[in-house]
Amino acid sequence: MALPVAFFALFFAWPVAAIVTRGLKADGAWRLGRLVDVVTQPDIRHVLWFTTWQALASTALTLLLALPAAHVFARLDFPGKQLLRAVVTVPFVLPTVVVGSAFLALVGRHGLLDELWGVRLDTTVWAILLAHVFFNYAVVVRTVGGLWSQLDPRQEEAARMLGASPLTAWRKVTLPALAPAVAAAALMVFLFTFTSFGVVQILGGPAFSTLEVEIYRQTSEVFDLSTAAVLTLVQFTAVGAILAVHARTVRRRETALRLVDPKTTARRPRGFAQWALLAGVLASVAVLLLLPLAVLVRRSLDGRGLGYYRALTDADGGTFLVAPVQAVWTSLEYALAATAIAVVIGGLAAAALARRDAGRLVRGFDALLMLPLGVSAVTVGFGFLIALDRPPLDLRQSWILVPLAQALVGAPFVVRTMLPVLRAVDGRLREAAAVLGASPWRAWREVDLPMVRRALLVAAGFAFAVSLGEFGATVFIARPDNPTLPVAVARLLSRPGELNYGQAMALSTILMVVCAAALLVLERLRTDRTGEF
């Protein structure tokens, strides 16, 4: 636990504390009365209510639409499965600004639905909810589907032989085993929608605002750092309470599970019900995920063929100090470094948290690990600039600053992906290895690692994808001569002109393709090299 604790204390707790302290402290005195003044304002109460309501609705809708897909990917085998799994994950890495723009082109004025049927959904809650489903669909599919594919199907088959209906067998046998993974996925979706920024800012219009949007507005437009600090504390407190409840309730329901090789659990669809489920999932993926991506690609080609892509090789000397295409290589380098950091930090934390004899202090750290997902990225970015600007830790000019910020978001995904599988490993296997003379390290290498290797690869893929698309904190710390893809897209979108917009869509398309290719390679590695157990 030493390295994960030090990492989060140094690169999360310290920067956040620095920005909050600066906002609530003036002339050496604390302005604690500002807390009550801000929270009691009617417009702030409306923001708090909408933030919570839309996050709950988005989480429920995402689970409703994505759980059938998790079952399909875990239990059914069909042509193009690996490619489709990679495509499903692509929306998750797109910058939220791009997601909002894609849905605006789909459901807004002069959008595809408006042109075909005269239907507009922009500036409505439905546009926000659908965009959140688009963004978080992969969280449920990969987190729940990863564990589901390793559950022994013979347990459910035994219940069927004893007279249980398919629904009863699933509800009594499979669902309890999946409960920790479902809860982890729901928690991640809720945190991402609770802190939603780009989607709500573009699709919500002036009528809808989340805490994240309000923090950004108070910081960059109104320049009221004290109000932004109060809202950050409110967000921090709410997320901390949710994580504490989650850690307490989910841990009670975790049990050792019989895990099998996922290659033996997927079968070709049989019967009308399975074929209908597969068709329904494919249709939902086409409408919810592929259609917005297709609109994005079409916008990158409008009127100029590949002209927008060719323009990316020219340095304009204004928005960027280098050619925009350089952002592709910069993003890949940063994402690889961030993935390595996140896997080490998250893997060590998950291994410690998975022990049944872990103390209360260690178990409490489980909830704290998720806080970076629920705290404003704007706050973290500003905190990096304020806290890490002087010796002995002056990182303002170091390239590692961006991967560190990205790893903060990636590490919780590593923990949440690996922890259900690690806790499902029967502790008696480790005890047997110890009795036979194996050291703790060898017992972990011989017993745990073969079982969690697949989860580790999935976690690495999640961390890589999150790092590629991280925008909120990176936009404040990325250097002008080394912009990442999301930062480059946001800067191009902020400039008027058809060429800038087309280049932004072209860069977004490149980001989508790079992510899909990386995830497809990951799927092949995971399928070919997952050990037998």
Side-chain angles (χ1 to χ4, degrees):
M1 289 297 297
L3 190 58
V5 169
F7 178 81
F8 279 92
L10 203 57
F11 299 112
F12 174 69
W14 185 19
V16 171
I19 191 67
V20 171
T21 300
R22 179 164 296 194
L24 292 180
K25 199 172 184 180
D27 300 326
W30 289 93
R31 297 184 296 174
L32 299 181
R34 185 64 177 158
L35 290 168
V36 179
D37 295 339
V38 171
V39 174
T40 54
Q41 294 176 14
D43 55 336
I44 297 299
R45 290 204 304 269
H46 176 74
V47 169
L48 290 172
W49 164 247
F50 176 74
T51 300
T52 305
W53 178 87
Q54 64 83 26
L56 290 172
S58 297
T59 303
L61 188 59
T62 303
L63 289 175
L64 179 65
L65 295 175
L67 280 177
H71 170 77
V72 165
F73 280 108
R75 294 304 196 202
L76 301 183
D77 187 23
F78 52 91
K81 179 179 177 179
Q82 293 180 15
L83 176 61
L84 187 62
R85 194 197 302 268
V87 170
V88 163
T89 311
V90 169
F92 185 70
V93 306
L94 292 178
T96 55
V97 175
V98 177
V99 173
S101 299
F103 267 82
L104 193 64
L106 182 64
V107 303
R109 185 178 182 183
H110 303 307
L112 184 62
L113 296 184
D114 191 19
E115 293 176 356
L116 294 178
W117 298 295
V119 176
R120 288 183 56 189
L121 296 176
D122 59 321
T123 68
T124 67
V125 173
W126 280 109
I128 296 173
L129 297 183
L130 291 175
H132 283 161
V133 173
F134 170 86
F135 190 75
N136 294 292
Y137 195 89
V139 175
V140 178
V141 170
R142 298 186 75 92
T143 303
V144 179
L147 180 60
W148 204 336
S149 64
Q150 293 181 268
L151 294 181
D152 192 343
R154 290 175 296 182
Q155 297 178 6
E156 190 171 327
E157 293 169 359
R160 294 285 308 280
M161 292 183 64
L162 293 174
S165 65
L167 180 60
T168 301
W170 180 83
R171 183 168 54 86
K172 295 288 188 179
V173 178
T174 304
L175 184 58
L178 289 176
V182 173
L187 176 66
M188 287 189 284
V189 174
F190 181 84
L191 290 179
F192 273 112
T193 52
F194 189 80
T195 59
S196 182
F197 174 60
V199 169
V200 177
Q201 188 178 40
I202 293 177
L203 296 177
F208 302 106
S209 178
T210 59
L211 274 172
E212 188 82 1
V213 174
E214 190 64 22
I215 291 172
Y216 177 80
R217 190 179 74 85
Q218 295 290 339
T219 303
S220 61
E221 297 179 9
V222 183
F223 303 108
D224 188 350
L225 197 58
S226 64
T227 298
V230 170
L231 295 179
T232 297
L233 287 178
V234 171
Q235 193 177 50
F236 190 87
T237 303
V239 171
I242 294 168
L243 293 176
V245 173
H246 169 268
R248 185 176 181 84
T249 56
V250 171
R251 187 173 179 85
R252 291 178 177 178
R253 304 186 66 178
E254 289 174 335
T255 57
L257 303 175
R258 177 179 174 83
L259 303 181
V260 298
D261 186 349
K263 291 184 289 186
T264 65
T265 61
R267 302 174 180 175
R268 301 283 292 183
R270 294 177 296 180
F272 175 79
Q274 291 188 353
W275 280 107
L277 177 62
L278 176 59
V281 168
L282 293 178
S284 66
V285 168
V287 173
L288 290 173
L289 305 185
L290 297 183
L291 185 58
L293 295 178
V295 172
L296 184 66
V297 174
R298 185 175 70 87
R299 287 294 184 95
S300 73
L301 298 172
D302 271 357
R304 295 175 57 92
L306 297 178
Y308 293 143
Y309 292 90
R310 287 192 291 268
L312 295 176
T313 61
D314 300 326
D316 61 10
T319 306
F320 306 104
L321 300 180
V322 295
V325 72
Q326 182 63 35
V328 177
W329 311 114
T330 301
S331 288
L332 290 175
E333 292 171 355
Y334 285 162
L336 288 173
T339 300
I341 297 172
V343 167
V344 172
I345 298 298
L348 289 173
L353 293 170
R355 295 183 62 87
R356 295 288 172 179
D357 57 350
R360 289 185 177 182
L361 184 61
V362 175
R363 292 197 300 268
F365 190 63
D366 186 8
L368 296 179
L369 286 170
M370 296 297 291
L371 285 178
L373 300 182
V375 173
S376 169
V378 175
T379 301
V380 174
F382 270 121
F384 264 53
L385 295 179
I386 293 174
L388 306 179
D389 66 341
R390 61 180 64 90
L393 202 61
D394 187 355
L395 300 178
R396 288 174 301 175
Q397 303 301 321
S398 175
W399 67 272
I400 197 65
L401 194 62
V402 173
L404 286 173
Q406 294 173 344
L408 272 177
V409 182
F413 281 95
V414 176
V415 175
R416 292 269 69 86
T417 303
M418 294 184 62
L419 196 54
V421 179
L422 279 171
R423 283 178 172 168
V425 177
D426 194 338
R428 291 173 297 181
L429 296 176
R430 302 189 191 98
E431 295 170 0
V435 170
L436 294 174
S439 64
W441 162 246
R442 185 177 180 183
W444 187 90
R445 189 178 72 246
E446 300 289 344
V447 176
D448 294 73
L449 184 59
M451 295 186 178
V452 303
R453 188 178 301 165
R454 180 175 184 271
L456 181 62
L457 289 172
V458 172
F462 255 134
F464 182 79
V466 169
S467 300
L468 274 179
E470 205 287 321
F471 172 71
T474 306
V475 69
F476 295 102
I477 56 180
R479 296 170 56 179
D481 57 340
N482 282 307
T484 63
L485 273 171
V487 173
V489 169
R491 290 179 182 174
L492 287 168
L493 285 175
S494 66
R495 299 184 66 187
E498 179 185 351
L499 178 60
N500 290 317
Y501 183 80
Q503 286 181 300
M505 295 300 102
L507 277 180
S508 299
T509 303
I510 291 174
L511 174 59
M512 177 182 68
V513 172
V514 169
C515 175
L519 293 172
L520 185 59
V521 171
L522 177 67
E523 287 296 321
R524 288 192 172 276
L525 288 174
R526 188 195 63 169
T527 303
D528 295 340
R529 299 184 183 180
T530 297
E532 300 286 343
F533 52 87

PDB file of all heavy atoms in Angstrom, residues 326-355:
ATOM      1  N   GLN A 326       1.137  16.277 -34.919  1.00  0.00           N
ATOM      2  CA  GLN A 326       2.089  15.894 -33.888  1.00  0.00           C
ATOM      3  C   GLN A 326       1.376  15.493 -32.597  1.00  0.00           C
ATOM      4  O   GLN A 326       1.911  14.731 -31.790  1.00  0.00           O
ATOM      5  CB  GLN A 326       3.052  17.054 -33.610  1.00  0.00           C
ATOM      6  CG  GLN A 326       4.122  16.761 -32.573  1.00  0.00           C
ATOM      7  CD  GLN A 326       5.074  15.651 -32.988  1.00  0.00           C
ATOM      8  OE1 GLN A 326       5.385  15.529 -34.179  1.00  0.00           O
ATOM      9  NE2 GLN A 326       5.504  14.837 -32.039  1.00  0.00           N
ATOM     10  N   ALA A 327       0.153  15.985 -32.426  1.00  0.00           N
ATOM     11  CA  ALA A 327      -0.611  15.637 -31.227  1.00  0.00           C
ATOM     12  C   ALA A 327      -0.896  14.141 -31.151  1.00  0.00           C
ATOM     13  O   ALA A 327      -1.080  13.598 -30.052  1.00  0.00           O
ATOM     14  CB  ALA A 327      -1.919  16.421 -31.193  1.00  0.00           C
ATOM     15  N   VAL A 328      -0.943  13.474 -32.303  1.00  0.00           N
ATOM     16  CA  VAL A 328      -1.195  12.026 -32.305  1.00  0.00           C
ATOM     17  C   VAL A 328      -0.070  11.301 -31.582  1.00  0.00           C
ATOM     18  O   VAL A 328      -0.295  10.488 -30.683  1.00  0.00           O
ATOM     19  CB  VAL A 328      -1.343  11.510 -33.754  1.00  0.00           C
ATOM     20  CG1 VAL A 328      -1.527   9.999 -33.753  1.00  0.00           C
ATOM     21  CG2 VAL A 328      -2.502  12.199 -34.453  1.00  0.00           C
ATOM     22  N   TRP A 329       1.186  11.589 -31.980  1.00  0.00           N
ATOM     23  CA  TRP A 329       2.330  10.905 -31.362  1.00  0.00           C
ATOM     24  C   TRP A 329       2.494  11.331 -29.902  1.00  0.00           C
ATOM     25  O   TRP A 329       2.841  10.503 -29.049  1.00  0.00           O
ATOM     26  CB  TRP A 329       3.598  11.214 -32.159  1.00  0.00           C
ATOM     27  CG  TRP A 329       3.413  11.005 -33.626  1.00  0.00           C
ATOM     28  CD1 TRP A 329       3.448  11.956 -34.598  1.00  0.00           C
ATOM     29  CD2 TRP A 329       3.109   9.770 -34.282  1.00  0.00           C
ATOM     30  NE1 TRP A 329       3.197  11.407 -35.837  1.00  0.00           N
ATOM     31  CE2 TRP A 329       2.987  10.063 -35.667  1.00  0.00           C
ATOM     32  CE3 TRP A 329       2.944   8.459 -33.857  1.00  0.00           C
ATOM     33  CZ2 TRP A 329       2.706   9.084 -36.609  1.00  0.00           C
ATOM     34  CZ3 TRP A 329       2.652   7.480 -34.794  1.00  0.00           C
ATOM     35  CH2 TRP A 329       2.537   7.794 -36.141  1.00  0.00           C
ATOM     36  N   THR A 330       2.238  12.584 -29.615  1.00  0.00           N
ATOM     37  CA  THR A 330       2.328  13.033 -28.221  1.00  0.00           C
ATOM     38  C   THR A 330       1.332  12.289 -27.348  1.00  0.00           C
ATOM     39  O   THR A 330       1.657  11.840 -26.241  1.00  0.00           O
ATOM     40  CB  THR A 330       2.082  14.542 -28.144  1.00  0.00           C
ATOM     41  OG1 THR A 330       3.046  15.233 -28.939  1.00  0.00           O
ATOM     42  CG2 THR A 330       2.188  15.033 -26.707  1.00  0.00           C
ATOM     43  N   SER A 331       0.097  12.144 -27.829  1.00  0.00           N
ATOM     44  CA  SER A 331      -0.931  11.445 -27.055  1.00  0.00           C
ATOM     45  C   SER A 331      -0.559   9.989 -26.820  1.00  0.00           C
ATOM     46  O   SER A 331      -0.770   9.454 -25.725  1.00  0.00           O
ATOM     47  CB  SER A 331      -2.279  11.539 -27.776  1.00  0.00           C
ATOM     48  OG  SER A 331      -2.807  12.838 -27.700  1.00  0.00           O
ATOM     49  N   LEU A 332      -0.024   9.329 -27.832  1.00  0.00           N
ATOM     50  CA  LEU A 332       0.357   7.927 -27.681  1.00  0.00           C
ATOM     51  C   LEU A 332       1.477   7.774 -26.647  1.00  0.00           C
ATOM     52  O   LEU A 332       1.446   6.858 -25.814  1.00  0.00           O
ATOM     53  CB  LEU A 332       0.799   7.351 -29.027  1.00  0.00           C
ATOM     54  CG  LEU A 332      -0.308   7.147 -30.066  1.00  0.00           C
ATOM     55  CD1 LEU A 332       0.291   6.678 -31.389  1.00  0.00           C
ATOM     56  CD2 LEU A 332      -1.329   6.129 -29.569  1.00  0.00           C
ATOM     57  N   GLU A 333       2.477   8.648 -26.705  1.00  0.00           N
ATOM     58  CA  GLU A 333       3.578   8.572 -25.747  1.00  0.00           C
ATOM     59  C   GLU A 333       3.078   8.813 -24.324  1.00  0.00           C
ATOM     60  O   GLU A 333       3.427   8.068 -23.390  1.00  0.00           O
ATOM     61  CB  GLU A 333       4.647   9.609 -26.112  1.00  0.00           C
ATOM     62  CG  GLU A 333       5.380   9.298 -27.416  1.00  0.00           C
ATOM     63  CD  GLU A 333       6.261  10.454 -27.859  1.00  0.00           C
ATOM     64  OE1 GLU A 333       6.215  11.516 -27.192  1.00  0.00           O
ATOM     65  OE2 GLU A 333       6.979  10.307 -28.865  1.00  0.00           O
ATOM     66  N   TYR A 334       2.265   9.852 -24.147  1.00  0.00           N
ATOM     67  CA  TYR A 334       1.733  10.136 -22.820  1.00  0.00           C
ATOM     68  C   TYR A 334       0.844   8.995 -22.326  1.00  0.00           C
ATOM     69  O   TYR A 334       0.889   8.627 -21.141  1.00  0.00           O
ATOM     70  CB  TYR A 334       0.928  11.435 -22.846  1.00  0.00           C
ATOM     71  CG  TYR A 334       1.763  12.695 -22.921  1.00  0.00           C
ATOM     72  CD1 TYR A 334       1.192  13.909 -23.313  1.00  0.00           C
ATOM     73  CD2 TYR A 334       3.102  12.690 -22.585  1.00  0.00           C
ATOM     74  CE1 TYR A 334       1.951  15.076 -23.375  1.00  0.00           C
ATOM     75  CE2 TYR A 334       3.869  13.845 -22.641  1.00  0.00           C
ATOM     76  CZ  TYR A 334       3.282  15.029 -23.043  1.00  0.00           C
ATOM     77  OH  TYR A 334       4.036  16.170 -23.094  1.00  0.00           O
ATOM     78  N   ALA A 335      -0.001   8.443 -23.215  1.00  0.00           N
ATOM     79  CA  ALA A 335      -0.924   7.390 -22.802  1.00  0.00           C
ATOM     80  C   ALA A 335      -0.184   6.126 -22.384  1.00  0.00           C
ATOM     81  O   ALA A 335      -0.580   5.452 -21.421  1.00  0.00           O
ATOM     82  CB  ALA A 335      -1.902   7.079 -23.933  1.00  0.00           C
ATOM     83  N   LEU A 336       0.892   5.775 -23.084  1.00  0.00           N
ATOM     84  CA  LEU A 336       1.666   4.593 -22.706  1.00  0.00           C
ATOM     85  C   LEU A 336       2.317   4.786 -21.343  1.00  0.00           C
ATOM     86  O   LEU A 336       2.315   3.871 -20.506  1.00  0.00           O
ATOM     87  CB  LEU A 336       2.726   4.306 -23.770  1.00  0.00           C
ATOM     88  CG  LEU A 336       2.210   3.761 -25.112  1.00  0.00           C
ATOM     89  CD1 LEU A 336       3.341   3.684 -26.127  1.00  0.00           C
ATOM     90  CD2 LEU A 336       1.567   2.392 -24.923  1.00  0.00           C
ATOM     91  N   ALA A 337       2.882   5.972 -21.116  1.00  0.00           N
ATOM     92  CA  ALA A 337       3.486   6.243 -19.811  1.00  0.00           C
ATOM     93  C   ALA A 337       2.433   6.237 -18.710  1.00  0.00           C
ATOM     94  O   ALA A 337       2.655   5.671 -17.618  1.00  0.00           O
ATOM     95  CB  ALA A 337       4.213   7.593 -19.844  1.00  0.00           C
ATOM     96  N   ALA A 338       1.282   6.853 -18.963  1.00  0.00           N
ATOM     97  CA  ALA A 338       0.216   6.890 -17.968  1.00  0.00           C
ATOM     98  C   ALA A 338      -0.316   5.489 -17.677  1.00  0.00           C
ATOM     99  O   ALA A 338      -0.633   5.159 -16.522  1.00  0.00           O
ATOM    100  CB  ALA A 338      -0.923   7.791 -18.442  1.00  0.00           C
ATOM    101  N   THR A 339      -0.406   4.641 -18.706  1.00  0.00           N
ATOM    102  CA  THR A 339      -0.881   3.272 -18.508  1.00  0.00           C
ATOM    103  C   THR A 339       0.069   2.490 -17.619  1.00  0.00           C
ATOM    104  O   THR A 339      -0.365   1.753 -16.716  1.00  0.00           O
ATOM    105  CB  THR A 339      -1.032   2.566 -19.863  1.00  0.00           C
ATOM    106  OG1 THR A 339      -1.969   3.283 -20.677  1.00  0.00           O
ATOM    107  CG2 THR A 339      -1.510   1.137 -19.680  1.00  0.00           C
ATOM    108  N   ALA A 340       1.374   2.634 -17.859  1.00  0.00           N
ATOM    109  CA  ALA A 340       2.349   1.938 -17.022  1.00  0.00           C
ATOM    110  C   ALA A 340       2.226   2.368 -15.565  1.00  0.00           C
ATOM    111  O   ALA A 340       2.240   1.533 -14.640  1.00  0.00           O
ATOM    112  CB  ALA A 340       3.761   2.206 -17.546  1.00  0.00           C
ATOM    113  N   ILE A 341       2.087   3.663 -15.343  1.00  0.00           N
ATOM    114  CA  ILE A 341       1.946   4.165 -13.966  1.00  0.00           C
ATOM    115  C   ILE A 341       0.654   3.648 -13.338  1.00  0.00           C
ATOM    116  O   ILE A 341       0.644   3.182 -12.184  1.00  0.00           O
ATOM    117  CB  ILE A 341       1.970   5.697 -13.956  1.00  0.00           C
ATOM    118  CG1 ILE A 341       3.318   6.222 -14.466  1.00  0.00           C
ATOM    119  CG2 ILE A 341       1.701   6.240 -12.553  1.00  0.00           C
ATOM    120  CD1 ILE A 341       3.348   7.725 -14.677  1.00  0.00           C
ATOM    121  N   ALA A 342      -0.449   3.719 -14.085  1.00  0.00           N
ATOM    122  CA  ALA A 342      -1.745   3.311 -13.548  1.00  0.00           C
ATOM    123  C   ALA A 342      -1.783   1.824 -13.230  1.00  0.00           C
ATOM    124  O   ALA A 342      -2.360   1.416 -12.209  1.00  0.00           O
ATOM    125  CB  ALA A 342      -2.851   3.669 -14.537  1.00  0.00           C
ATOM    126  N   VAL A 343      -1.167   0.994 -14.077  1.00  0.00           N
ATOM    127  CA  VAL A 343      -1.176  -0.452 -13.843  1.00  0.00           C
ATOM    128  C   VAL A 343      -0.366  -0.789 -12.596  1.00  0.00           C
ATOM    129  O   VAL A 343      -0.778  -1.630 -11.778  1.00  0.00           O
ATOM    130  CB  VAL A 343      -0.633  -1.192 -15.080  1.00  0.00           C
ATOM    131  CG1 VAL A 343      -0.340  -2.650 -14.754  1.00  0.00           C
ATOM    132  CG2 VAL A 343      -1.634  -1.114 -16.224  1.00  0.00           C
ATOM    133  N   VAL A 344       0.785  -0.156 -12.424  1.00  0.00           N
ATOM    134  CA  VAL A 344       1.606  -0.419 -11.231  1.00  0.00           C
ATOM    135  C   VAL A 344       0.879   0.035  -9.963  1.00  0.00           C
ATOM    136  O   VAL A 344       0.739  -0.726  -9.000  1.00  0.00           O
ATOM    137  CB  VAL A 344       2.972   0.278 -11.351  1.00  0.00           C
ATOM    138  CG1 VAL A 344       3.745   0.174 -10.035  1.00  0.00           C
ATOM    139  CG2 VAL A 344       3.786  -0.342 -12.476  1.00  0.00           C
ATOM    140  N   ILE A 345       0.404   1.281  -9.965  1.00  0.00           N
ATOM    141  CA  ILE A 345      -0.267   1.822  -8.776  1.00  0.00           C
ATOM    142  C   ILE A 345      -1.568   1.066  -8.503  1.00  0.00           C
ATOM    143  O   ILE A 345      -1.839   0.632  -7.375  1.00  0.00           O
ATOM    144  CB  ILE A 345      -0.551   3.324  -8.960  1.00  0.00           C
ATOM    145  CG1 ILE A 345       0.760   4.105  -9.130  1.00  0.00           C
ATOM    146  CG2 ILE A 345      -1.351   3.865  -7.778  1.00  0.00           C
ATOM    147  CD1 ILE A 345       1.691   4.023  -7.946  1.00  0.00           C
ATOM    148  N   GLY A 346      -2.397   0.918  -9.528  1.00  0.00           N
ATOM    149  CA  GLY A 346      -3.679   0.239  -9.349  1.00  0.00           C
ATOM    150  C   GLY A 346      -3.523  -1.234  -9.034  1.00  0.00           C
ATOM    151  O   GLY A 346      -4.284  -1.792  -8.232  1.00  0.00           O
ATOM    152  N   GLY A 347      -2.542  -1.897  -9.666  1.00  0.00           N
ATOM    153  CA  GLY A 347      -2.335  -3.318  -9.401  1.00  0.00           C
ATOM    154  C   GLY A 347      -1.895  -3.576  -7.969  1.00  0.00           C
ATOM    155  O   GLY A 347      -2.380  -4.503  -7.313  1.00  0.00           O
ATOM    156  N   LEU A 348      -0.970  -2.754  -7.470  1.00  0.00           N
ATOM    157  CA  LEU A 348      -0.542  -2.907  -6.076  1.00  0.00           C
ATOM    158  C   LEU A 348      -1.696  -2.651  -5.105  1.00  0.00           C
ATOM    159  O   LEU A 348      -1.873  -3.392  -4.131  1.00  0.00           O
ATOM    160  CB  LEU A 348       0.607  -1.934  -5.781  1.00  0.00           C
ATOM    161  CG  LEU A 348       1.958  -2.246  -6.431  1.00  0.00           C
ATOM    162  CD1 LEU A 348       2.943  -1.115  -6.189  1.00  0.00           C
ATOM    163  CD2 LEU A 348       2.519  -3.562  -5.896  1.00  0.00           C
ATOM    164  N   ALA A 349      -2.474  -1.613  -5.386  1.00  0.00           N
ATOM    165  CA  ALA A 349      -3.605  -1.306  -4.507  1.00  0.00           C
ATOM    166  C   ALA A 349      -4.636  -2.431  -4.523  1.00  0.00           C
ATOM    167  O   ALA A 349      -5.166  -2.829  -3.476  1.00  0.00           O
ATOM    168  CB  ALA A 349      -4.251   0.013  -4.926  1.00  0.00           C
ATOM    169  N   ALA A 350      -4.945  -2.964  -5.707  1.00  0.00           N
ATOM    170  CA  ALA A 350      -5.934  -4.043  -5.812  1.00  0.00           C
ATOM    171  C   ALA A 350      -5.448  -5.294  -5.079  1.00  0.00           C
ATOM    172  O   ALA A 350      -6.233  -5.979  -4.408  1.00  0.00           O
ATOM    173  CB  ALA A 350      -6.215  -4.358  -7.279  1.00  0.00           C
ATOM    174  N   ALA A 351      -4.161  -5.615  -5.209  1.00  0.00           N
ATOM    175  CA  ALA A 351      -3.620  -6.795  -4.523  1.00  0.00           C
ATOM    176  C   ALA A 351      -3.735  -6.655  -3.009  1.00  0.00           C
ATOM    177  O   ALA A 351      -4.049  -7.616  -2.300  1.00  0.00           O
ATOM    178  CB  ALA A 351      -2.169  -7.009  -4.928  1.00  0.00           C
ATOM    179  N   ALA A 352      -3.491  -5.435  -2.494  1.00  0.00           N
ATOM    180  CA  ALA A 352      -3.603  -5.220  -1.054  1.00  0.00           C
ATOM    181  C   ALA A 352      -5.051  -5.257  -0.582  1.00  0.00           C
ATOM    182  O   ALA A 352      -5.371  -5.839   0.459  1.00  0.00           O
ATOM    183  CB  ALA A 352      -2.957  -3.881  -0.671  1.00  0.00           C
ATOM    184  N   LEU A 353      -5.937  -4.642  -1.357  1.00  0.00           N
ATOM    185  CA  LEU A 353      -7.346  -4.581  -0.968  1.00  0.00           C
ATOM    186  C   LEU A 353      -8.030  -5.934  -1.061  1.00  0.00           C
ATOM    187  O   LEU A 353      -9.044  -6.168  -0.394  1.00  0.00           O
ATOM    188  CB  LEU A 353      -8.082  -3.575  -1.859  1.00  0.00           C
ATOM    189  CG  LEU A 353      -7.672  -2.112  -1.693  1.00  0.00           C
ATOM    190  CD1 LEU A 353      -8.289  -1.257  -2.794  1.00  0.00           C
ATOM    191  CD2 LEU A 353      -8.103  -1.597  -0.325  1.00  0.00           C
ATOM    192  N   ALA A 354      -7.512  -6.832  -1.891  1.00  0.00           N
ATOM    193  CA  ALA A 354      -8.164  -8.128  -2.098  1.00  0.00           C
ATOM    194  C   ALA A 354      -7.953  -9.081  -0.931  1.00  0.00           C
ATOM    195  O   ALA A 354      -8.668 -10.075  -0.813  1.00  0.00           O
ATOM    196  CB  ALA A 354      -7.648  -8.772  -3.387  1.00  0.00           C
ATOM    197  N   ARG A 355      -6.996  -8.809  -0.067  1.00  0.00           N
ATOM    198  CA  ARG A 355      -6.722  -9.709   1.051  1.00  0.00           C
ATOM    199  C   ARG A 355      -7.869  -9.677   2.057  1.00  0.00           C
ATOM    200  O   ARG A 355      -8.334  -8.612   2.455  1.00  0.00           O
ATOM    201  CB  ARG A 355      -5.418  -9.327   1.741  1.00  0.00           C
ATOM    202  CG  ARG A 355      -4.188  -9.504   0.863  1.00  0.00           C
ATOM    203  CD  ARG A 355      -2.929  -9.165   1.641  1.00  0.00           C
ATOM    204  NE  ARG A 355      -2.751 -10.055   2.787  1.00  0.00           N
ATOM    205  CZ  ARG A 355      -2.134 -11.223   2.732  1.00  0.00           C
ATOM    206  NH1 ARG A 355      -1.641 -11.643   1.589  1.00  0.00           N
ATOM    207  NH2 ARG A 355      -2.011 -11.972   3.805  1.00  0.00           N
TER     208      ARG A 355
END
